[in-house]
Amino acid sequence: MRHIRAWSIALALLVLTIMIVVPLVEIFIQSVYRDGELQLAAPFRTLADAEILKVLLGSIWLGICVIAGTTVLALPLAWIMVNTRLARWRWLDIVFLIPFMTPPYIGSMGWILFMQKNGYLEQLVPGLASVTPSFFTFGGMVTIMSLHLFPFLYLLLRGALERIGGSLEEAGAVLGAPFTYRFRRIIAPLLLSAYGMGAMLIFVKTIAEFGTPVTFGKRIGYEVMTSEIHKYISSWPIDFGKATSLASVLLTACLLIWYAQSVLSRRFTYSLVGGKGIRRSSLHSQGRGTWIYVIFVAVVLLLSIGVPYFSIIAASTMKLRGVGLAWNNLTLEYYKELLTWGSTSMRSLMNSVLLSLAASTIAVILGTWFAIVIGRSRTRMERTTDLFSLLPNTVPGIVMVVGLILLWNSPWMPIPLYNTYGMVILTYVILFVPYTVQYVKSDFGQIDPSLFQAGQVFGGKPHYVFRRVLLPLIVPGMMAGWMMTFTIASRELVGSLLILPPSVQTSATYIFAQFEQGQVSLGMAMAVVSVGLTTVMLVIIESLGSKRKWNA
Amino acid sequence: MNNFTTIKTGWNKGTSLTLVLALGLTLAGCGTNSNSTAKEASPSANNSVTNTQAADQKLVVYSAGPEGLANKIIEGYEAQTGVKVEMFQGTTGKILARMEAEKSNPVVDVVILASLPSAQGLKNDGLTLPYPEAKNADKLNPDWSDKEGNYFSSSASALGIAYNTKLVTTPPTSWEDLTKPEYKGQINIPDPSLSGSALDFITGYLSDKGESGWSLFEQFNNNDVAVAGANQEALDPVITGAKSMVAGAVDYMTYKAKAKGEPVDIVYPKEGTVISPRPAAIMKSTQHEENAKSFIDYLLSDEAQKLVSNAALLPGRTDIKAENRANLDEIPLLKADWVWMNENGADVTDKFTKLFK
């Protein structure tokens, strides 16, 4: 039996190597081969530049601040959504995903349009004109990025809190521990592994993020690594070597963080899901104080969705953007243009939906397999699998995509995948498979092995144990991974711009093209429609899933 | 506990089988999708299998904006020749990045860029296929196109000062006006590392004024001129009223917004400005040489040049007049030295970026 698991690991490593490692190696070769000769020192020369070091530190500082920002939003929110009466409002979970569904550059544009001079805020409340410039600072950038990324941390923390269940905390309460003590000695240690993983992913997402730095960061003159990388990759003269040298710095930074996190989580992973069912604690269910939670949730929603979407919708319904907010300036013309059957915009929308459906399904299957292979990452093979499957999340998307093109479009490649839809799906799968791996891994790590033993003892065949014990326990993680992948894939921009076959557009590239063409209103309308569509699809899937969802 | 590993491998067997099976199925799904199309054929559903072998009916074009114009040109060409065109649309930077990534196995046949130095770069790297026999090439503005037929500028834009008509009542008349204290913090300039035309403006200005030309940009910096993304990103805040002016704005974008009714207009400063030609070139690696050549012929035809003029761009042919915009002879020009501009583009970008940091 043991050799089957070994084969499974070997196969997973092989698939990961072909999918992820080889393209990155191609990139590395590019960074050391300059002008046709091998120059191993080339990447290091790029780094000797003091300017680059400053930019790198800027990136890291931004990442740390955004971790703090998302924690302030996500931790109370997760606690509220597990422990208070608001937990019954499951639809809120999908609403919380909206900021994450919004393409980051659209969200930033929304904030800019709202806060800028003569912007919507000043048009609504002229008295605030003296306050708005203070938004265009580093603090504003951290705020925007935190409001965009917090759902990610929230989902992880909520999942972990749910698994902690009420009994442990109640035990503490019975023994007379006050709330702060219970939080410090019971909840915090149990949360640490999920939080560490979430914080690391937030950090990596932040320093690999491109949309906000390029829209908002440019405006306040805050430079980060991704904008530098992008410069070498998208303006003449194109220098993949320099770009990849910079990318390898980012990669190294991310790997260090990953290592610290994995050490941390190996120390603090506990078996939480055992034979006993999980029961919600009644400690916090009293009506008293509910209004505080409602206010907190409302404020978060107002800032993360209200403000940007006010701007986005306003911009998408304006006849003339130079006129500003006025009832006689209102039009639905752009939506009509957008939703005409058979138009380019409709085709892009359909492409987005179909491509992300295919990509997220494949990503979940692969990701679950990898997560199970990784298990509790005890052996070196398991840890290597863990590392490989996480790589796409640590490299800026654009670098990964260039590597993929180098590999799949090389003359010796026997599989003619390049410039087909298959290539787009493959790219999305590679870019987003880490999400499923993370979610399933975090579910899986907390399952007590005694459950499988119990299944075995009662005569369950391996596939029966898998189907009736393991699968139900990891389905929530798979669902979260699927939803996350679908959400991000349907708004993916950087990779799509480079990898889509000619004449094919997705909603994200369509929006981007409209901005480039000066059709901002049309682009904003598309953003509203595609985010709306994604939300509807998630609601449908969630409601289908919740009927059969495993609930202990 | 001692037989835990056995149990673990037990269900892992099941897991692996299930997942590998599912993976195999999905990959097979992808495979059937792509195997039917030939290597260079794109799968866009309706044109896959049939037309790769017989008469060559295919052409891949990478084109910089404006999108409306590019689409119309493709439509016109398809109607005339029956060739099916696959187009990738993006900024000059995106197109070049894609070409670089595809270098070992190029897909593109014809590129249309928005920056002359990039086309000169392609030519110097030996990537272009000369086509000196192109029809009407002799009528093109000789300053903008290659004598040996490596690239043809079928259209061009001019750079000026775009301003918000609600915020600026007396438009500036010279570049120096933008350094006045009343405009402090009110002006955007497109980023030369992202916008080829902004780079053309800066290098063109410097090639005319010499080293002393930098003083203008130093004063810009002192007057809090903001470097703001590519062209449209620089113009957009002016339309909404967050900024008053764009220095080195691409004129056709401003004309388009103005035609729509937005409160913007453009002036060309009296000491002169730079024209940013938009070259088209056939790639040496093309597998559809005849179609590529006929596409260039079409770009230079009366019909396509009319489309250019309708899109508020300057037609590349000297014998065709622009209609709803300023013509070439109405725009004061600096003495731009394109050879110098091409050689110094990278250094200028570097110095400019450092200056505005």
Side-chain angles (χ1 to χ4, degrees):
Chain A
M1 286 271 221
R2 189 182 288 270
H3 67 274
I4 291 173
R5 173 155 175 85
W7 275 108
S8 177
I9 292 193
L11 189 62
L13 275 174
L14 181 72
V15 170
L16 283 168
T17 306
I18 293 171
M19 275 172 50
I20 294 163
V21 181
V22 175
L24 290 176
V25 169
E26 289 262 357
I27 282 278
F28 179 73
I29 293 173
Q30 283 266 326
S31 75
V32 290
Y33 266 104
R34 293 275 172 86
D35 312 316
E37 50 186 302
L38 187 67
Q39 297 182 356
L40 283 173
F44 300 101
R45 269 206 300 282
T46 318
L47 302 183
D49 195 344
E51 286 290 319
I52 295 293
L53 194 67
K54 217 178 86 193
V55 174
L56 177 66
L57 291 177
S59 270
I60 292 176
W61 178 235
L62 182 69
I64 294 170
C65 291
V66 172
I67 291 182
T70 46
T71 308
V72 168
L73 294 167
L75 187 60
L77 210 55
W79 188 85
I80 289 172
M81 289 305 290
V82 170
N83 286 320
T84 71
R85 284 206 221 165
L86 271 61
R88 276 173 300 167
W89 301 346
R90 301 296 293 185
W91 53 269
L92 272 176
D93 274 355
I94 288 181
V95 176
F96 285 135
L97 267 181
I98 291 180
F100 202 61
M101 274 177 226
T102 317
Y105 61 94
I106 298 271
S108 306
M109 283 284 286
W111 274 102
I112 292 172
L113 290 175
F114 194 74
M115 290 305 228
Q116 71 186 2
K117 182 173 151 255
N118 295 330
Y120 301 144
L121 185 62
E122 286 183 25
Q123 290 175 34
L124 293 170
V125 194
L128 287 175
S130 57
V131 187
T132 48
S134 62
F135 184 75
F136 289 90
T137 54
F138 179 68
M141 188 158 161
V142 173
T143 310
I144 294 180
M145 295 185 85
S146 304
L147 286 168
H148 169 63
L149 289 171
F150 84 90
F152 193 70
L153 189 60
Y154 160 75
L155 278 188
L156 275 169
L157 288 180
R158 204 205 62 197
L161 276 176
E162 271 179 352
R163 283 189 303 270
I164 290 174
S167 0
L168 292 171
E169 208 192 336
E170 273 175 355
V174 165
L175 295 173
F179 176 71
T180 45
Y181 185 87
R182 294 200 306 267
F183 184 82
R184 197 158 52 82
R185 299 304 297 268
I186 300 174
I187 301 184
L190 290 173
L191 265 187
L192 207 56
S193 138
Y195 178 75
M197 190 180 290
M200 178 204 59
L201 289 177
I202 294 281
F203 180 84
V204 168
K205 285 242 85 102
T206 308
I207 66 174
E209 169 64 62
F210 175 66
T212 309
V214 88
T215 46
F216 194 86
K218 265 248 145 59
R219 200 142 168 157
I220 61 168
Y222 196 86
E223 298 222 344
V224 294
M225 292 295 275
T226 38
S227 41
E228 284 288 302
I229 294 176
H230 197 78
K231 196 174 82 191
Y232 290 119
I233 254 170
S234 66
S235 53
W236 188 261
I238 305 282
D239 191 341
F240 280 169
K242 268 215 180 82
T244 50
S245 304
L246 293 180
S248 53
V249 177
L250 260 193
L251 184 64
T252 316
C254 294
L255 289 183
L256 286 176
I257 302 275
W258 170 83
Y259 183 74
Q261 180 270 331
S262 72
V263 168
L264 190 84
S265 78
R266 242 176 297 150
R267 280 191 54 192
F268 292 101
T269 301
Y270 304 94
S271 296
L272 286 169
V273 182
K276 285 186 218 135
I278 293 173
R279 189 175 56 80
R280 287 272 59 80
S281 160
S282 55
L283 279 179
H284 313 288
S285 306
Q286 298 93 342
R288 144 180 83 84
T290 301
W291 60 274
I292 299 180
Y293 308 138
V294 173
I295 288 176
F296 182 81
V297 171
V299 168
V300 170
L301 289 181
L302 179 72
L303 289 178
S304 62
I305 302 175
V307 170
Y309 273 88
F310 174 80
S311 300
I312 293 168
I313 293 174
S316 71
T317 53
M318 271 184 193
K319 266 183 226 147
L320 291 178
R321 302 184 53 245
V323 174
L325 296 172
W327 285 116
N328 59 8
N329 194 28
L330 189 79
T331 177
L332 290 177
E333 215 32 57
Y334 300 109
Y335 287 92
K336 222 172 93 190
E337 187 178 338
L338 206 66
L339 297 175
T340 312
W341 194 251
S343 59
T344 327
S345 45
M346 276 310 271
R347 261 179 293 144
S348 339
L349 211 54
M350 288 315 290
N351 280 336
S352 271
V353 171
L354 295 177
L355 287 171
S356 11
L357 273 177
S360 47
T361 309
I362 298 174
V364 162
I365 296 169
L366 275 178
T368 308
W369 175 37
F370 296 150
I372 291 171
V373 163
I374 294 164
R376 287 164 190 245
S377 52
R378 273 191 259 259
T379 67
R380 185 167 300 155
M381 289 280 265
E382 289 171 351
R383 247 171 276 158
T384 313
T385 315
D386 193 6
L387 173 64
F388 282 2
S389 68
L390 200 67
L391 276 177
N393 227 335
T394 59
V395 201
I398 193 162
V399 175
M400 190 74 229
V401 170
V402 168
L404 285 172
I405 298 178
L406 291 175
L407 172 67
W408 290 92
N409 191 39
S410 57
W412 50 264
M413 173 52 73
I415 310 164
L417 199 59
Y418 188 69
N419 258 349
T420 67
Y421 284 96
M423 184 70 199
V424 186
I425 294 173
L426 178 77
T427 308
Y428 288 172
V429 168
I430 290 173
L431 287 177
F432 306 127
V433 79
Y435 292 99
T436 309
V437 175
Q438 295 306 318
Y439 282 117
V440 176
K441 210 174 71 181
S442 121
D443 271 5
F444 184 71
Q446 292 181 321
I447 301 174
D448 196 319
S450 63
L451 287 179
F452 307 121
Q453 290 161 1
Q456 184 87 344
V457 165
F458 288 107
K461 293 266 171 2
H463 68 264
Y464 184 84
V465 175
F466 169 75
R467 193 160 53 83
R468 298 304 298 267
V469 181
L470 176 63
L471 202 58
L473 289 170
I474 57 171
V475 154
M478 291 172 71
M479 285 289 286
W482 192 92
M483 283 164 80
M484 203 46 107
T485 311
F486 180 78
T487 306
I488 316 179
S490 62
R491 68 158 168 75
E492 206 287 331
L493 177 68
V494 181
S496 313
L497 279 176
L498 285 175
I499 214 127
L500 281 175
S503 304
V504 178
Q505 281 194 316
T506 62
S507 60
T509 60
Y510 180 86
I511 294 170
F512 194 75
Q514 298 319 305
F515 281 166
E516 269 176 16
Q517 304 297 327
Q519 303 263 44
V520 176
S521 301
L522 201 55
M524 289 296 197
M526 184 60 148
V528 173
V529 170
S530 59
V531 170
L533 194 68
T534 316
T535 315
V536 169
M537 295 206 52
L538 290 186
V539 169
I540 294 172
I541 283 155
E542 173 86 1
S543 65
L544 286 180
S546 65
K547 274 185 207 140
R548 321 184 299 148
K549 201 184 262 169
W550 168 78
N551 261 322
Chain B
M1 206 56 207
N2 57 344
N3 59 356
F4 160 54
T5 38
T6 336
I7 293 156
K8 198 170 177 193
T9 47
W11 55 254
N12 257 301
K13 179 190 169 193
T15 316
S16 315
L17 282 180
T18 321
L19 291 175
V20 167
L21 207 69
L23 170 69
L25 284 176
T26 39
L27 283 186
C30 291
T32 41
N33 172 0
S34 45
N35 285 345
S36 57
T37 52
K39 176 94 188 169
E40 76 277 20
S42 157
S44 51
N46 42 13
N47 78 318
S48 46
V49 203
T50 46
N51 54 16
T52 38
Q53 308 298 321
D56 185 13
Q57 290 294 310
K58 190 168 138 43
L59 185 71
V60 180
V61 177
Y62 289 1
S63 168
E67 196 180 12
L69 173 64
N71 286 341
K72 280 192 193 123
I73 286 180
I74 301 291
E75 272 166 37
Y77 173 73
E78 285 182 338
Q80 202 181 70
T81 58
V83 172
K84 172 81 184 122
V85 179
E86 306 267 321
M87 181 173 63
F88 169 70
Q89 249 260 257
T91 58
T92 304
K94 290 267 155 27
I95 290 172
L96 293 172
R98 192 173 173 130
M99 285 165 63
E100 181 74 17
E102 293 174 346
K103 199 161 70 181
S104 61
N105 196 8
V107 177
V108 59
D109 300 308
V110 176
V111 284
I112 304 175
L113 302 172
S115 149
L116 194 59
S118 308
Q120 288 168 327
L122 291 180
K123 179 197 163 190
N124 293 342
D125 290 350
L127 296 172
T128 52
L129 181 80
Y131 178 39
E133 312 85 25
K135 282 184 204 128
N136 293 319
D138 52 323
K139 296 182 187 133
L140 285 174
N141 192 321
D143 297 341
W144 304 344
S145 297
D146 183 41
K147 280 195 286 293
E148 295 145 32
N150 282 290
Y151 53 85
F152 310 89
S153 292
S154 61
S155 63
S157 60
L159 301 163
I161 301 173
Y163 61 97
N164 185 308
T165 50
K166 290 203 290 193
L167 298 172
V168 181
T169 39
T170 46
T173 55
S174 96
W175 297 112
E176 300 284 344
D177 285 350
L178 302 183
T179 62
K180 286 181 185 163
E182 57 190 288
Y183 299 134
K184 196 171 175 72
Q186 295 301 309
I187 299 168
N188 269 350
I189 187 166
D191 186 342
S193 71
L194 296 173
S195 154
S197 55
L199 182 59
D200 289 351
F201 161 62
I202 295 163
T203 50
Y205 186 85
L206 291 172
S207 79
D208 181 287
K209 305 282 175 193
E211 201 57 25
S212 64
W214 278 107
S215 77
L216 177 75
F217 299 111
E218 277 154 22
Q219 289 177 59
F220 274 10
N221 186 34
N222 294 336
N223 213 21
D224 289 344
V225 171
V227 182
N231 299 309
Q232 197 65 49
E233 289 158 73
L235 181 62
D236 203 56
V238 173
I239 293 175
T240 55
K243 294 272 179 177
S244 303
M245 286 185 271
V246 182
V250 180
D251 59 356
Y252 76 84
M253 288 183 185
T254 319
Y255 285 122
K256 216 160 74 180
K258 184 185 170 189
K260 206 177 144 197
E262 300 285 11
V264 284
D265 208 345
I266 191 157
V267 286
Y268 302 103
K270 60 179 186 301
E271 65 263 48
T273 185
V274 179
I275 300 283
S276 180
R278 304 161 52 80
I282 305 176
M283 301 309 292
K284 196 165 236 158
S285 55
T286 178
Q287 286 159 355
H288 310 279
E289 189 178 328
E290 288 316 305
N291 293 344
K293 286 181 170 170
S294 70
F295 185 76
I296 295 288
D297 288 341
Y298 180 75
L299 271 182
L300 307 184
S301 69
D302 291 9
E303 186 181 314
Q305 290 289 300
K306 263 268 151 343
L307 294 174
V308 167
S309 141
N310 288 341
L313 279 156
L314 285 169
R317 271 169 57 183
T318 47
D319 58 332
I320 304 237
K321 287 278 160 250
E323 270 152 32
N324 29 39
R325 56 158 295 143
N327 263 297
L328 190 56
D329 47 16
E330 302 158 61
I331 301 171
L333 290 180
L334 291 163
K335 283 194 301 296
D337 176 354
W338 285 98
V339 178
W340 186 90
M341 287 161 68
N342 180 27
E343 280 164 6
N344 293 281
D347 295 340
V348 169
T349 312
D350 220 38
K351 190 166 171 188
F352 183 89
T353 313
K354 290 219 167 76
L355 179 65
F356 279 82
K357 220 156 205 172

